[in-house]
Amino acid sequence: MTRTIIREAVAVLMALAAASCGNVRREVPAAPVAVERQDLTAEARRWADSIAAGMDTARLAAQLIMPAVYASDDLWTLRQVKEYADMGIGGIVLLKGTSGQARVLADSMMRASRVAPFVAIDAEWGLNMRLVDAPRFPANGNLSSHVEDQLMYDYGREVARECRQLGINMVLGPVLDVGEGNHFLGVRSFSGDVGRVSDLGLSYGRGLADGNVIAVAKHFPGHGSVRMDSHRGKGVIEGSLQRLDTVDLVPFRNWVDAGMTAVMVGHLAVPAIDSRMLPAAVSPTVIRDLLRDDLGFGGLVLTDALNMLGAEGRGAADAVAADADIIVAPARTADEVDNLVSAVRSGRLTLNGLRGHVRRILFYKYLLRDDAAPHAAEALRTSATDSLRNSLLH
């Protein structure tokens, strides 16, 4: 299906719905004293263009990779992170561990990298989802029915505060999947109600963003009706294009319209728009045609973890060819950097295209530059944290 057909089909359906309804020199400059937002954007673009122009193909490829690392401060893990930094890897995703170990690891990655990295974590309902000693908040599906936008925004701001203390600058959340009796998603979804998912997810994301943490909405184009766990295999969105447009895409459309920064694409086949049944994370029809062109999203596109069985053995080059920017948790990090370089040499990917993805990544990194290092240590859990938790439950 061409992008024109998708655009026209979605437009018709929308009309119908409306009718019925440190150690290394850091290549990040110091923050200016005061600058207007428009000037900051222009400044960020100039810096991103300059840094990307000075990178060779291997360094460009490395910026697109974000391997997963257990939040541990043992010698082997610290050496691994140093190797990633030396390669020019664009960031890491923290897995299970403790807050202290996460802080050491994030700080080590930050100090060793020439370009400040993204340090990401799954915090769909707070850091305790991955860090055992972090403040505990209720899972999305266990939130009180009385929870509204302002409380979710405050919740996002609190999680952002905790993240920045540890040197974390990206949260792989919120989940914008509309749960419809989905046994796999369970309490990860806010609700089966489209409006509630959209409102709560966007409010949480805005709180994170205003706390200077990038929020990554997932799992585009919507995991809500899919029962297959992407860790075990590729899910299939069996519904019609009309259902996709009026249910699954609604929270993501609102996310994009609100100007949010990042979206994660899942390992979901969408036969209604992609007859090849490719996992969405490597599907040009889903990423370039639907997300980029039809929804008008110009921000960061992340893949779901490529080490999941749902990726069907697809690699970084497949995802980048589909217009993804960041490859999350590939099975073999160094090999995927080499594969991207080889794809450029073979002509499958262009050097200018690769550089364009890196410019986009660097642009958003620049906007985080004045708050990159871990904050001064203080208690993650406070009386305000406990009060917030109680408000979310009752």
Side-chain angles (χ1 to χ4, degrees):
M1 180 181 292
T2 67
R3 65 188 66 174
T4 301
I5 293 174
I6 295 173
R7 191 159 46 242
E8 290 176 351
V10 172
V12 169
L13 289 170
M14 290 176 65
L16 289 173
S20 66
C21 338
N23 288 329
V24 178
R25 182 178 62 84
R26 182 69 53 75
E27 294 176 342
V28 178
V33 175
V35 63
E36 295 295 330
R37 181 69 186 181
Q38 184 176 358
D39 295 334
L40 177 61
T41 298
E43 184 178 303
R45 295 198 185 285
R46 286 194 297 270
W47 178 81
D49 289 348
S50 173
I51 298 302
M55 290 182 172
D56 62 19
T57 307
R59 301 294 287 193
L60 291 170
Q63 273 294 303
L64 273 59
I65 307 294
M66 283 182 62
V69 181
Y70 280 96
S72 172
D73 57 3
D74 64 88
L75 183 59
W76 185 89
T77 304
L78 292 174
R79 283 178 175 171
Q80 183 181 47
V81 163
K82 178 63 165 57
E83 289 176 5
Y84 287 153
D86 290 344
M87 291 169 58
I89 290 298
I92 55 175
V93 179
L94 298 177
L95 301 176
K96 290 182 182 266
T98 68
S99 58
Q101 292 169 325
R103 181 185 175 92
V104 169
L105 203 60
D107 190 50
S108 298
M109 183 72 180
M110 196 73 65
R111 289 176 180 275
S113 299
R114 294 188 66 182
V115 174
F118 288 135
V119 178
I121 193 167
D122 276 313
E124 297 170 12
W125 56 85
L127 293 177
N128 185 261
M129 183 175 169
R130 287 291 180 261
L131 306 179
V132 295
D133 59 337
R136 181 185 298 274
F137 293 103
N140 298 332
N142 294 335
L143 293 173
S144 166
S145 60
H146 301 294
V147 171
E148 296 182 352
D149 295 358
Q150 183 60 53
L151 183 58
M152 286 301 295
Y153 174 86
D154 294 342
Y155 176 21
R157 285 301 298 262
E158 167 58 22
V159 173
R161 180 190 71 83
E162 296 170 15
C163 284
R164 298 319 303 237
Q165 282 184 240
L166 305 181
I168 295 167
N169 54 26
M170 177 182 283
V171 163
L172 304 183
V175 170
L176 294 188
D177 304 313
V178 182
E180 295 187 353
N182 185 318
H183 299 305
F184 159 57
L185 278 181
V187 294
R188 295 178 66 188
S189 172
F190 287 108
S191 172
D193 179 83
V194 175
R196 181 172 170 83
V197 171
S198 183
D199 292 345
L200 296 188
L202 182 55
S203 295
Y204 181 67
R206 280 175 165 157
L208 287 167
D210 286 351
N212 211 21
V213 170
I214 291 176
V216 183
K218 59 188 186 184
H219 308 80
F220 188 84
H223 212 308
S225 64
V226 179
R227 293 182 177 273
M228 171 65 74
D229 182 344
S230 298
H231 294 84
R232 300 176 181 275
K234 180 180 69 176
V236 179
I237 300 177
E238 300 284 5
S240 66
L241 183 58
Q242 182 174 3
R243 184 201 180 281
L244 182 70
D245 185 64
T246 58
V247 178
D248 294 313
L249 288 180
V250 172
F252 291 100
R253 186 180 296 115
N254 292 340
W255 182 268
V256 172
D257 290 346
M260 302 301 286
T261 295
V263 170
M264 175 181 283
V265 183
H267 301 313
L268 311 165
V270 193
I273 61 172
D274 185 355
S275 60
R276 292 190 294 168
M277 297 279 287
L278 291 173
V282 296
S283 169
T285 303
V286 173
I287 299 178
R288 181 176 295 117
D289 296 350
L290 180 58
L291 179 56
R292 295 287 195 197
D293 289 355
D294 289 332
L295 270 64
F297 183 64
L300 294 171
V301 173
L302 289 75
T303 71
D304 207 345
L306 278 197
N307 59 10
M308 293 180 179
L309 294 180
E312 289 192 333
R314 306 281 178 169
D318 300 302
V320 175
D323 214 8
D325 299 303
I326 296 176
I327 312 307
V328 174
R332 290 174 294 278
T333 298
D335 288 349
E336 288 292 23
V337 172
D338 292 341
N339 290 340
L340 286 173
V341 173
S342 296
V344 171
R345 289 174 177 166
S346 70
R348 184 184 180 195
L349 300 175
T350 69
L351 184 60
N352 283 340
L354 200 66
R355 205 179 303 278
H357 289 292
V358 173
R359 282 198 298 265
R360 182 181 288 129
I361 290 168
L362 295 178
F363 170 80
Y364 288 107
K365 286 185 173 183
Y366 185 92
L367 300 182
L368 296 171
R369 75 206 184 290
D370 60 338
D371 201 18
H375 288 183
E378 59 181 81
L380 284 182
R381 181 179 288 102
T382 66
S383 59
T385 306
D386 293 335
S387 176
L388 177 62
R389 177 179 181 275
N390 291 333
S391 298
L392 292 167
L393 282 168
H394 303 293

